[in-house]
Short mmCIF file of all heavy atoms in Angstrom, two decimals:
data_model
loop_
_atom_site.label_atom_id
_atom_site.label_comp_id
_atom_site.label_asym_id
_atom_site.label_seq_id
_atom_site.Cartn_x
_atom_site.Cartn_y
_atom_site.Cartn_z
N MET A 1 3.08 18.91 -7.07
CA MET A 1 2.02 18.12 -6.44
C MET A 1 1.70 16.92 -7.33
O MET A 1 1.66 17.02 -8.54
CB MET A 1 0.79 18.97 -6.23
CG MET A 1 -0.34 18.21 -5.59
SD MET A 1 -1.72 19.31 -5.22
CE MET A 1 -1.93 18.94 -3.52
N ILE A 2 1.47 15.77 -6.70
CA ILE A 2 1.18 14.52 -7.41
C ILE A 2 -0.31 14.44 -7.70
O ILE A 2 -1.14 14.84 -6.90
CB ILE A 2 1.60 13.31 -6.53
CG1 ILE A 2 3.09 13.37 -6.19
CG2 ILE A 2 1.25 12.00 -7.18
CD1 ILE A 2 4.00 13.21 -7.36
N ASP A 3 -0.64 13.88 -8.88
CA ASP A 3 -2.04 13.65 -9.24
C ASP A 3 -2.55 12.47 -8.42
O ASP A 3 -2.12 11.33 -8.62
CB ASP A 3 -2.15 13.35 -10.74
CG ASP A 3 -3.56 13.07 -11.18
OD1 ASP A 3 -4.50 13.25 -10.38
OD2 ASP A 3 -3.74 12.64 -12.34
N ARG A 4 -3.43 12.72 -7.49
CA ARG A 4 -3.91 11.67 -6.58
C ARG A 4 -4.90 10.71 -7.23
O ARG A 4 -5.24 9.69 -6.65
CB ARG A 4 -4.57 12.31 -5.36
CG ARG A 4 -3.57 13.06 -4.51
CD ARG A 4 -4.23 13.66 -3.32
NE ARG A 4 -3.28 14.51 -2.61
CZ ARG A 4 -3.41 14.86 -1.36
NH1 ARG A 4 -4.43 14.46 -0.67
NH2 ARG A 4 -2.51 15.63 -0.79
N THR A 5 -5.37 11.02 -8.43
CA THR A 5 -6.33 10.14 -9.08
C THR A 5 -5.65 9.04 -9.89
O THR A 5 -6.28 8.05 -10.21
CB THR A 5 -7.26 10.93 -10.02
OG1 THR A 5 -6.48 11.59 -11.01
CG2 THR A 5 -8.07 11.95 -9.24
N SER A 6 -4.36 9.21 -10.19
CA SER A 6 -3.67 8.19 -10.96
C SER A 6 -2.90 7.25 -10.03
O SER A 6 -2.55 7.62 -8.90
CB SER A 6 -2.70 8.83 -11.96
OG SER A 6 -1.67 9.49 -11.27
N ILE A 7 -2.66 6.05 -10.50
CA ILE A 7 -1.92 5.07 -9.72
C ILE A 7 -0.43 5.30 -9.94
O ILE A 7 0.02 5.38 -11.08
CB ILE A 7 -2.31 3.64 -10.16
CG1 ILE A 7 -3.78 3.40 -9.87
CG2 ILE A 7 -1.44 2.61 -9.46
CD1 ILE A 7 -4.31 2.11 -10.43
N PRO A 8 0.33 5.43 -8.85
CA PRO A 8 1.78 5.64 -8.99
C PRO A 8 2.42 4.48 -9.75
O PRO A 8 2.08 3.32 -9.53
CB PRO A 8 2.28 5.69 -7.55
CG PRO A 8 1.08 6.00 -6.73
CD PRO A 8 -0.09 5.42 -7.45
N GLN A 9 3.33 4.80 -10.65
CA GLN A 9 3.93 3.79 -11.51
C GLN A 9 5.32 3.36 -11.07
O GLN A 9 5.83 2.37 -11.56
CB GLN A 9 3.99 4.31 -12.95
CG GLN A 9 2.63 4.60 -13.54
CD GLN A 9 1.75 3.37 -13.62
OE1 GLN A 9 2.18 2.33 -14.10
NE2 GLN A 9 0.52 3.47 -13.14
N ASN A 10 5.93 4.11 -10.15
CA ASN A 10 7.28 3.75 -9.73
C ASN A 10 7.52 4.20 -8.29
O ASN A 10 6.69 4.87 -7.68
CB ASN A 10 8.32 4.34 -10.68
CG ASN A 10 8.23 5.84 -10.78
OD1 ASN A 10 8.15 6.52 -9.77
ND2 ASN A 10 8.23 6.37 -11.99
N ASP A 11 8.66 3.78 -7.76
CA ASP A 11 8.99 4.08 -6.37
C ASP A 11 9.13 5.57 -6.11
O ASP A 11 8.79 6.05 -5.03
CB ASP A 11 10.28 3.34 -6.01
CG ASP A 11 10.24 2.74 -4.62
OD1 ASP A 11 9.15 2.25 -4.22
OD2 ASP A 11 11.28 2.77 -3.94
N ASP A 12 9.62 6.32 -7.10
CA ASP A 12 9.77 7.77 -6.92
C ASP A 12 8.41 8.44 -6.73
O ASP A 12 8.27 9.33 -5.89
CB ASP A 12 10.50 8.40 -8.10
CG ASP A 12 11.97 8.00 -8.17
OD1 ASP A 12 12.53 7.61 -7.12
OD2 ASP A 12 12.54 8.08 -9.27
N ASP A 13 7.42 8.01 -7.50
CA ASP A 13 6.07 8.56 -7.35
C ASP A 13 5.49 8.22 -5.98
O ASP A 13 4.85 9.06 -5.34
CB ASP A 13 5.13 8.02 -8.43
CG ASP A 13 5.44 8.56 -9.81
OD1 ASP A 13 6.21 9.53 -9.93
OD2 ASP A 13 4.92 7.98 -10.79
N LEU A 14 5.72 6.99 -5.53
CA LEU A 14 5.23 6.59 -4.21
C LEU A 14 5.92 7.37 -3.10
O LEU A 14 5.28 7.77 -2.12
CB LEU A 14 5.45 5.09 -4.01
CG LEU A 14 4.56 4.17 -4.83
CD1 LEU A 14 5.04 2.74 -4.72
CD2 LEU A 14 3.12 4.29 -4.40
N THR A 15 7.21 7.60 -3.25
CA THR A 15 7.94 8.38 -2.26
C THR A 15 7.43 9.82 -2.22
O THR A 15 7.30 10.40 -1.14
CB THR A 15 9.46 8.34 -2.55
OG1 THR A 15 9.88 6.98 -2.58
CG2 THR A 15 10.25 9.06 -1.49
N ALA A 16 7.13 10.37 -3.37
CA ALA A 16 6.59 11.73 -3.43
C ALA A 16 5.22 11.80 -2.74
O ALA A 16 4.94 12.76 -2.01
CB ALA A 16 6.48 12.20 -4.87
N LEU A 17 4.39 10.78 -2.94
CA LEU A 17 3.09 10.74 -2.26
C LEU A 17 3.28 10.64 -0.74
O LEU A 17 2.55 11.26 0.03
CB LEU A 17 2.27 9.55 -2.75
CG LEU A 17 1.55 9.73 -4.06
CD1 LEU A 17 0.89 8.42 -4.48
CD2 LEU A 17 0.50 10.81 -3.96
N THR A 18 4.26 9.85 -0.33
CA THR A 18 4.55 9.70 1.09
C THR A 18 4.98 11.03 1.68
O THR A 18 4.51 11.43 2.75
CB THR A 18 5.66 8.64 1.31
OG1 THR A 18 5.23 7.40 0.76
CG2 THR A 18 5.97 8.47 2.77
N LYS A 19 5.86 11.73 0.97
CA LYS A 19 6.33 13.03 1.44
C LYS A 19 5.16 14.01 1.56
O LYS A 19 5.03 14.72 2.56
CB LYS A 19 7.38 13.59 0.49
CG LYS A 19 7.92 14.93 0.91
CD LYS A 19 8.98 15.44 -0.04
CE LYS A 19 9.50 16.80 0.40
NZ LYS A 19 10.52 17.32 -0.49
N GLU A 20 4.30 14.03 0.56
CA GLU A 20 3.14 14.93 0.58
C GLU A 20 2.21 14.60 1.75
O GLU A 20 1.73 15.50 2.45
CB GLU A 20 2.39 14.81 -0.75
CG GLU A 20 1.30 15.82 -0.93
CD GLU A 20 0.65 15.71 -2.29
OE1 GLU A 20 1.35 15.58 -3.29
OE2 GLU A 20 -0.59 15.76 -2.32
N ALA A 21 1.98 13.31 1.98
CA ALA A 21 1.10 12.90 3.09
C ALA A 21 1.71 13.30 4.43
O ALA A 21 1.00 13.82 5.30
CB ALA A 21 0.87 11.39 3.04
N LEU A 22 3.00 13.08 4.60
CA LEU A 22 3.66 13.46 5.85
C LEU A 22 3.65 14.97 6.06
O LEU A 22 3.45 15.45 7.18
CB LEU A 22 5.10 12.95 5.88
CG LEU A 22 5.28 11.46 6.19
CD1 LEU A 22 6.73 11.06 6.02
CD2 LEU A 22 4.78 11.14 7.58
N THR A 23 3.84 15.72 5.00
CA THR A 23 3.81 17.18 5.11
C THR A 23 2.43 17.63 5.58
O THR A 23 2.33 18.50 6.46
CB THR A 23 4.15 17.82 3.75
OG1 THR A 23 5.45 17.40 3.35
CG2 THR A 23 4.13 19.34 3.83
N ASP A 24 1.37 17.02 5.03
CA ASP A 24 0.01 17.35 5.45
C ASP A 24 -0.21 17.03 6.93
O ASP A 24 -0.79 17.83 7.67
CB ASP A 24 -1.02 16.58 4.63
CG ASP A 24 -1.14 17.09 3.20
OD1 ASP A 24 -0.63 18.18 2.90
OD2 ASP A 24 -1.75 16.37 2.38
N ILE A 25 0.26 15.87 7.35
CA ILE A 25 0.03 15.42 8.72
C ILE A 25 0.88 16.19 9.73
O ILE A 25 0.40 16.62 10.77
CB ILE A 25 0.33 13.91 8.85
CG1 ILE A 25 -0.62 13.08 8.00
CG2 ILE A 25 0.30 13.44 10.30
CD1 ILE A 25 -2.08 13.22 8.36
N LEU A 26 2.15 16.35 9.40
CA LEU A 26 3.08 16.97 10.35
C LEU A 26 2.99 18.49 10.36
O LEU A 26 3.39 19.13 11.33
CB LEU A 26 4.52 16.56 10.02
CG LEU A 26 4.85 15.08 10.13
CD1 LEU A 26 6.27 14.81 9.62
CD2 LEU A 26 4.69 14.59 11.56
N GLY A 27 2.53 19.06 9.27
CA GLY A 27 2.48 20.51 9.17
C GLY A 27 3.85 21.14 8.96
O GLY A 27 4.05 22.32 9.23
N ARG A 28 4.79 20.33 8.52
CA ARG A 28 6.15 20.79 8.24
C ARG A 28 6.77 19.86 7.21
O ARG A 28 6.22 18.81 6.89
CB ARG A 28 7.00 20.80 9.52
CG ARG A 28 7.19 19.42 10.13
CD ARG A 28 8.19 19.42 11.27
NE ARG A 28 8.20 18.17 11.99
CZ ARG A 28 8.82 17.06 11.60
NH1 ARG A 28 9.48 17.03 10.46
NH2 ARG A 28 8.77 15.97 12.34
N GLU A 29 7.91 20.24 6.71
CA GLU A 29 8.65 19.40 5.76
C GLU A 29 9.24 18.21 6.51
O GLU A 29 9.99 18.38 7.47
CB GLU A 29 9.76 20.23 5.11
CG GLU A 29 10.44 19.58 3.96
CD GLU A 29 9.63 19.60 2.68
OE1 GLU A 29 8.64 20.37 2.61
OE2 GLU A 29 9.98 18.86 1.75
N PRO A 30 8.90 16.97 6.11
CA PRO A 30 9.45 15.80 6.80
C PRO A 30 10.93 15.59 6.45
O PRO A 30 11.39 16.01 5.39
CB PRO A 30 8.61 14.65 6.28
CG PRO A 30 8.10 15.10 4.97
CD PRO A 30 7.97 16.59 5.06
N THR A 31 11.64 14.95 7.36
CA THR A 31 13.04 14.62 7.09
C THR A 31 13.10 13.45 6.13
O THR A 31 12.11 12.73 5.95
CB THR A 31 13.79 14.25 8.39
OG1 THR A 31 13.23 13.02 8.90
CG2 THR A 31 13.70 15.35 9.43
N LYS A 32 14.25 13.25 5.53
CA LYS A 32 14.44 12.13 4.60
C LYS A 32 14.18 10.80 5.32
O LYS A 32 13.55 9.90 4.77
CB LYS A 32 15.87 12.18 4.04
CG LYS A 32 16.17 11.11 3.03
CD LYS A 32 15.53 11.43 1.71
CE LYS A 32 16.04 10.47 0.64
NZ LYS A 32 15.31 10.57 -0.59
N GLN A 33 14.65 10.69 6.57
CA GLN A 33 14.44 9.46 7.34
C GLN A 33 12.95 9.22 7.60
O GLN A 33 12.47 8.09 7.49
CB GLN A 33 15.20 9.51 8.66
CG GLN A 33 15.07 8.22 9.44
CD GLN A 33 15.85 8.22 10.73
OE1 GLN A 33 16.42 9.23 11.12
NE2 GLN A 33 15.88 7.09 11.41
N GLU A 34 12.21 10.26 7.93
CA GLU A 34 10.78 10.12 8.16
C GLU A 34 10.07 9.65 6.89
O GLU A 34 9.19 8.78 6.95
CB GLU A 34 10.17 11.45 8.62
CG GLU A 34 10.56 11.85 10.03
CD GLU A 34 10.13 13.25 10.40
OE1 GLU A 34 10.10 14.13 9.51
OE2 GLU A 34 9.86 13.47 11.59
N ILE A 35 10.47 10.21 5.76
CA ILE A 35 9.87 9.81 4.49
C ILE A 35 10.16 8.35 4.20
O ILE A 35 9.25 7.58 3.86
CB ILE A 35 10.39 10.70 3.33
CG1 ILE A 35 9.93 12.14 3.52
CG2 ILE A 35 9.93 10.17 1.98
CD1 ILE A 35 10.63 13.13 2.61
N LEU A 36 11.41 7.94 4.35
CA LEU A 36 11.78 6.56 4.05
C LEU A 36 11.11 5.57 4.99
O LEU A 36 10.66 4.50 4.57
CB LEU A 36 13.30 6.40 4.09
CG LEU A 36 14.05 7.14 2.98
CD1 LEU A 36 15.56 6.99 3.18
CD2 LEU A 36 13.65 6.63 1.62
N ARG A 37 11.01 5.91 6.27
CA ARG A 37 10.36 5.00 7.23
C ARG A 37 8.87 4.87 6.93
O ARG A 37 8.32 3.77 6.97
CB ARG A 37 10.59 5.50 8.64
CG ARG A 37 12.04 5.31 9.10
CD ARG A 37 12.25 5.74 10.51
NE ARG A 37 11.66 4.73 11.39
CZ ARG A 37 11.56 4.86 12.70
NH1 ARG A 37 11.99 5.95 13.28
NH2 ARG A 37 11.03 3.90 13.43
N ALA A 38 8.21 5.97 6.64
CA ALA A 38 6.78 5.91 6.31
C ALA A 38 6.56 5.17 5.00
O ALA A 38 5.64 4.36 4.89
CB ALA A 38 6.20 7.32 6.24
N HIS A 39 7.41 5.42 4.03
CA HIS A 39 7.32 4.75 2.73
C HIS A 39 7.46 3.24 2.90
O HIS A 39 6.68 2.47 2.34
CB HIS A 39 8.41 5.30 1.80
CG HIS A 39 8.46 4.67 0.46
ND1 HIS A 39 7.44 4.79 -0.46
CD2 HIS A 39 9.41 3.91 -0.14
CE1 HIS A 39 7.77 4.12 -1.56
NE2 HIS A 39 8.96 3.59 -1.38
N ALA A 40 8.42 2.82 3.70
CA ALA A 40 8.61 1.39 3.96
C ALA A 40 7.38 0.81 4.66
O ALA A 40 6.95 -0.31 4.35
CB ALA A 40 9.86 1.17 4.81
N GLY A 41 6.81 1.55 5.57
CA GLY A 41 5.60 1.10 6.26
C GLY A 41 4.43 0.96 5.31
O GLY A 41 3.67 -0.02 5.39
N PHE A 42 4.27 1.91 4.40
CA PHE A 42 3.19 1.83 3.41
C PHE A 42 3.37 0.61 2.52
O PHE A 42 2.41 -0.11 2.21
CB PHE A 42 3.14 3.09 2.55
CG PHE A 42 2.68 4.32 3.26
CD1 PHE A 42 3.08 5.57 2.82
CD2 PHE A 42 1.85 4.26 4.36
CE1 PHE A 42 2.65 6.73 3.46
CE2 PHE A 42 1.42 5.40 5.02
CZ PHE A 42 1.83 6.64 4.56
N LYS A 43 4.61 0.35 2.10
CA LYS A 43 4.86 -0.81 1.24
C LYS A 43 4.57 -2.11 1.98
O LYS A 43 3.98 -3.03 1.43
CB LYS A 43 6.30 -0.79 0.73
CG LYS A 43 6.53 0.27 -0.33
CD LYS A 43 7.96 0.33 -0.76
CE LYS A 43 8.21 -0.62 -1.90
NZ LYS A 43 9.54 -0.45 -2.50
N ARG A 44 4.95 -2.16 3.24
CA ARG A 44 4.68 -3.36 4.05
C ARG A 44 3.17 -3.58 4.16
O ARG A 44 2.69 -4.69 4.02
CB ARG A 44 5.30 -3.23 5.43
CG ARG A 44 4.93 -4.38 6.34
CD ARG A 44 5.96 -4.63 7.41
NE ARG A 44 5.54 -5.57 8.41
CZ ARG A 44 5.27 -6.87 8.23
NH1 ARG A 44 5.37 -7.38 7.02
NH2 ARG A 44 4.91 -7.65 9.21
N MET A 45 2.42 -2.50 4.41
CA MET A 45 0.97 -2.62 4.50
C MET A 45 0.39 -3.14 3.18
O MET A 45 -0.53 -3.95 3.18
CB MET A 45 0.33 -1.27 4.85
CG MET A 45 0.48 -0.90 6.29
SD MET A 45 -0.48 0.55 6.83
CE MET A 45 -0.54 1.60 5.43
N ALA A 46 0.94 -2.68 2.08
CA ALA A 46 0.45 -3.12 0.77
C ALA A 46 0.69 -4.62 0.59
O ALA A 46 -0.20 -5.35 0.11
CB ALA A 46 1.15 -2.35 -0.35
N PHE A 47 1.86 -5.11 0.99
CA PHE A 47 2.14 -6.54 0.86
C PHE A 47 1.27 -7.37 1.79
O PHE A 47 0.81 -8.44 1.42
CB PHE A 47 3.63 -6.83 1.09
CG PHE A 47 4.49 -6.46 -0.08
CD1 PHE A 47 5.42 -5.44 0.03
CD2 PHE A 47 4.36 -7.11 -1.30
CE1 PHE A 47 6.21 -5.08 -1.05
CE2 PHE A 47 5.14 -6.76 -2.39
CZ PHE A 47 6.07 -5.74 -2.26
N VAL A 48 1.02 -6.87 2.99
CA VAL A 48 0.13 -7.57 3.92
C VAL A 48 -1.27 -7.63 3.33
O VAL A 48 -1.93 -8.68 3.38
CB VAL A 48 0.13 -6.88 5.31
CG1 VAL A 48 -0.99 -7.40 6.19
CG2 VAL A 48 1.48 -7.08 5.99
N MET A 49 -1.73 -6.53 2.75
CA MET A 49 -3.06 -6.51 2.14
C MET A 49 -3.15 -7.46 0.94
O MET A 49 -4.13 -8.19 0.79
CB MET A 49 -3.42 -5.09 1.69
CG MET A 49 -4.79 -4.98 1.04
SD MET A 49 -6.14 -5.55 2.06
CE MET A 49 -6.37 -4.14 3.09
N MET A 50 -2.10 -7.48 0.12
CA MET A 50 -2.08 -8.41 -1.02
C MET A 50 -2.15 -9.85 -0.54
O MET A 50 -2.89 -10.66 -1.09
CB MET A 50 -0.81 -8.20 -1.87
CG MET A 50 -0.85 -6.96 -2.72
SD MET A 50 0.69 -6.61 -3.59
CE MET A 50 1.15 -8.17 -4.28
N ASP A 51 -1.40 -10.18 0.50
CA ASP A 51 -1.40 -11.53 1.06
C ASP A 51 -2.79 -11.87 1.58
O ASP A 51 -3.31 -12.97 1.33
CB ASP A 51 -0.36 -11.63 2.18
CG ASP A 51 -0.21 -13.03 2.71
OD1 ASP A 51 -0.04 -13.96 1.89
OD2 ASP A 51 -0.27 -13.21 3.95
N HIS A 52 -3.41 -10.94 2.28
CA HIS A 52 -4.75 -11.16 2.81
C HIS A 52 -5.76 -11.41 1.68
O HIS A 52 -6.58 -12.33 1.75
CB HIS A 52 -5.19 -9.95 3.64
CG HIS A 52 -6.61 -9.98 4.06
ND1 HIS A 52 -7.08 -10.82 5.05
CD2 HIS A 52 -7.69 -9.30 3.61
CE1 HIS A 52 -8.38 -10.64 5.18
NE2 HIS A 52 -8.76 -9.72 4.33
N LEU A 53 -5.69 -10.59 0.64
CA LEU A 53 -6.62 -10.74 -0.49
C LEU A 53 -6.41 -12.07 -1.21
O LEU A 53 -7.38 -12.72 -1.62
CB LEU A 53 -6.47 -9.57 -1.46
CG LEU A 53 -6.93 -8.22 -0.92
CD1 LEU A 53 -6.60 -7.12 -1.92
CD2 LEU A 53 -8.41 -8.24 -0.62
N GLU A 54 -5.16 -12.51 -1.35
CA GLU A 54 -4.88 -13.80 -1.98
C GLU A 54 -5.48 -14.94 -1.16
O GLU A 54 -6.08 -15.87 -1.71
CB GLU A 54 -3.38 -14.00 -2.16
CG GLU A 54 -2.79 -13.17 -3.27
CD GLU A 54 -1.27 -13.30 -3.35
OE1 GLU A 54 -0.67 -14.13 -2.62
OE2 GLU A 54 -0.68 -12.55 -4.15
N LYS A 55 -5.33 -14.88 0.16
CA LYS A 55 -5.89 -15.92 1.04
C LYS A 55 -7.41 -15.93 0.95
O LYS A 55 -8.03 -16.99 0.91
CB LYS A 55 -5.44 -15.70 2.48
CG LYS A 55 -4.00 -16.07 2.70
CD LYS A 55 -3.58 -15.81 4.13
CE LYS A 55 -2.10 -16.11 4.32
NZ LYS A 55 -1.64 -15.77 5.66
N GLU A 56 -8.02 -14.75 0.95
CA GLU A 56 -9.47 -14.66 0.84
C GLU A 56 -9.96 -15.22 -0.50
O GLU A 56 -10.98 -15.90 -0.55
CB GLU A 56 -9.94 -13.21 1.00
CG GLU A 56 -9.85 -12.69 2.41
CD GLU A 56 -10.78 -13.41 3.36
OE1 GLU A 56 -11.96 -13.60 3.03
OE2 GLU A 56 -10.31 -13.81 4.44
N ASN A 57 -9.22 -14.93 -1.57
CA ASN A 57 -9.58 -15.42 -2.89
C ASN A 57 -9.51 -16.95 -2.93
O ASN A 57 -10.41 -17.61 -3.46
CB ASN A 57 -8.65 -14.81 -3.95
CG ASN A 57 -9.14 -15.03 -5.35
OD1 ASN A 57 -10.32 -15.29 -5.56
ND2 ASN A 57 -8.25 -14.91 -6.31
N LYS A 58 -8.44 -17.53 -2.35
CA LYS A 58 -8.31 -18.98 -2.30
C LYS A 58 -9.44 -19.60 -1.49
O LYS A 58 -10.01 -20.63 -1.86
CB LYS A 58 -6.97 -19.38 -1.70
CG LYS A 58 -5.80 -19.18 -2.63
CD LYS A 58 -4.50 -19.57 -1.96
CE LYS A 58 -3.31 -19.24 -2.84
NZ LYS A 58 -2.04 -19.55 -2.18
N LYS A 59 -9.76 -18.97 -0.37
CA LYS A 59 -10.84 -19.46 0.49
C LYS A 59 -12.18 -19.43 -0.25
O LYS A 59 -12.96 -20.37 -0.18
CB LYS A 59 -10.89 -18.56 1.73
CG LYS A 59 -11.79 -19.01 2.83
CD LYS A 59 -11.57 -18.03 3.99
CE LYS A 59 -12.52 -18.16 5.10
NZ LYS A 59 -12.29 -17.16 6.14
N GLU A 60 -12.41 -18.34 -0.97
CA GLU A 60 -13.65 -18.18 -1.73
C GLU A 60 -13.76 -19.25 -2.83
O GLU A 60 -14.81 -19.86 -3.01
CB GLU A 60 -13.69 -16.79 -2.35
CG GLU A 60 -15.05 -16.35 -2.81
CD GLU A 60 -15.03 -14.90 -3.24
OE1 GLU A 60 -14.89 -14.02 -2.38
OE2 GLU A 60 -15.14 -14.67 -4.47
N LYS A 61 -12.66 -19.48 -3.54
CA LYS A 61 -12.65 -20.51 -4.58
C LYS A 61 -12.89 -21.89 -3.99
O LYS A 61 -13.61 -22.71 -4.56
CB LYS A 61 -11.32 -20.48 -5.35
CG LYS A 61 -11.19 -19.34 -6.31
CD LYS A 61 -9.87 -19.39 -7.05
CE LYS A 61 -9.72 -18.22 -8.00
NZ LYS A 61 -8.44 -18.25 -8.71
N SER A 62 -12.29 -22.16 -2.83
CA SER A 62 -12.47 -23.43 -2.16
C SER A 62 -13.93 -23.62 -1.74
O SER A 62 -14.49 -24.70 -1.92
CB SER A 62 -11.56 -23.50 -0.93
OG SER A 62 -11.81 -24.67 -0.21
N ASN A 63 -14.54 -22.57 -1.24
CA ASN A 63 -15.95 -22.65 -0.83
C ASN A 63 -16.86 -22.87 -2.04
O ASN A 63 -17.84 -23.62 -1.95
CB ASN A 63 -16.36 -21.37 -0.10
CG ASN A 63 -15.79 -21.30 1.30
OD1 ASN A 63 -15.37 -22.31 1.85
ND2 ASN A 63 -15.75 -20.11 1.86
N LYS A 64 -16.55 -22.26 -3.17
CA LYS A 64 -17.36 -22.44 -4.38
C LYS A 64 -17.24 -23.87 -4.87
O LYS A 64 -18.22 -24.48 -5.29
CB LYS A 64 -16.93 -21.46 -5.47
CG LYS A 64 -17.42 -20.06 -5.25
CD LYS A 64 -17.01 -19.15 -6.38
CE LYS A 64 -17.48 -17.75 -6.14
NZ LYS A 64 -17.08 -16.82 -7.22
N LYS A 65 -16.02 -24.43 -4.85
CA LYS A 65 -15.81 -25.82 -5.29
C LYS A 65 -16.59 -26.77 -4.38
O LYS A 65 -17.25 -27.69 -4.84
CB LYS A 65 -14.33 -26.19 -5.22
CG LYS A 65 -13.56 -25.84 -6.43
CD LYS A 65 -12.15 -26.39 -6.31
CE LYS A 65 -11.33 -26.05 -7.52
NZ LYS A 65 -9.94 -26.53 -7.39
N ARG A 66 -16.51 -26.54 -3.07
CA ARG A 66 -17.18 -27.39 -2.11
C ARG A 66 -18.68 -27.30 -2.30
O ARG A 66 -19.39 -28.29 -2.22
CB ARG A 66 -16.81 -26.96 -0.69
CG ARG A 66 -16.86 -28.10 0.27
CD ARG A 66 -16.36 -27.77 1.65
NE ARG A 66 -15.10 -27.03 1.63
CZ ARG A 66 -14.79 -26.03 2.43
NH1 ARG A 66 -15.64 -25.66 3.36
NH2 ARG A 66 -13.65 -25.41 2.36
N GLY A 67 -19.19 -26.11 -2.59
CA GLY A 67 -20.62 -25.92 -2.81
C GLY A 67 -21.10 -26.61 -4.08
O GLY A 67 -22.19 -27.16 -4.12
N ALA A 68 -20.28 -26.64 -5.11
CA ALA A 68 -20.64 -27.29 -6.36
C ALA A 68 -20.57 -28.81 -6.24
O ALA A 68 -21.34 -29.52 -6.89
CB ALA A 68 -19.70 -26.83 -7.49
N ASN A 69 -19.67 -29.29 -5.39
CA ASN A 69 -19.51 -30.73 -5.22
C ASN A 69 -20.41 -31.29 -4.12
O ASN A 69 -20.63 -32.48 -4.07
CB ASN A 69 -18.04 -31.07 -4.87
CG ASN A 69 -17.12 -30.79 -6.03
OD1 ASN A 69 -17.53 -30.83 -7.18
ND2 ASN A 69 -15.86 -30.52 -5.74
N GLY A 70 -20.88 -30.42 -3.25
CA GLY A 70 -21.63 -30.90 -2.07
C GLY A 70 -23.06 -30.75 -2.26
O GLY A 70 -24.02 -31.27 -2.32
#
């Protein structure tokens, strides 16, 4: 079992978390394909979230500059 309080440091740890999550949800051992597809989906969500946070950060900085100059 993976320690859920620590941040995964590599792809193997993330894959293990994915497998554990799928096992909980499905109530059975997931197939390798199910694990890989879910893992890829989780990674995609992470990149989308990172992109969103970067845009929000830029927007916030822009608003602060405008407020200081205006």
Side-chain angles (χ1 to χ4, degrees):
M1 180 175 233
I2 301 294
D3 179 8
R4 293 180 187 201
T5 59
S6 66
I7 297 172
Q9 298 298 311
N10 58 48
D11 221 37
D12 291 337
D13 290 347
L14 289 170
T15 303
L17 279 174
T18 301
K19 180 179 180 180
E20 188 176 315
L22 283 173
T23 300
D24 288 347
I25 296 299
L26 297 173
R28 63 172 170 80
E29 190 76 15
T31 66
K32 183 76 171 170
Q33 183 178 6
E34 288 171 328
I35 295 168
L36 293 176
R37 289 182 74 187
H39 178 66
F42 290 154
K43 287 177 88 171
R44 174 153 171 65
M45 284 190 327
F47 283 115
V48 168
M49 180 57 80
M50 285 174 46
D51 186 51
H52 172 74
L53 292 174
E54 286 175 6
K55 287 179 183 175
E56 287 295 313
N57 193 20
K58 286 179 185 177
K59 189 175 171 182
E60 197 173 290
K61 285 181 181 180
S62 174
N63 286 342
K64 284 182 181 179
K65 274 186 181 178
R66 209 174 314 141
N69 292 333

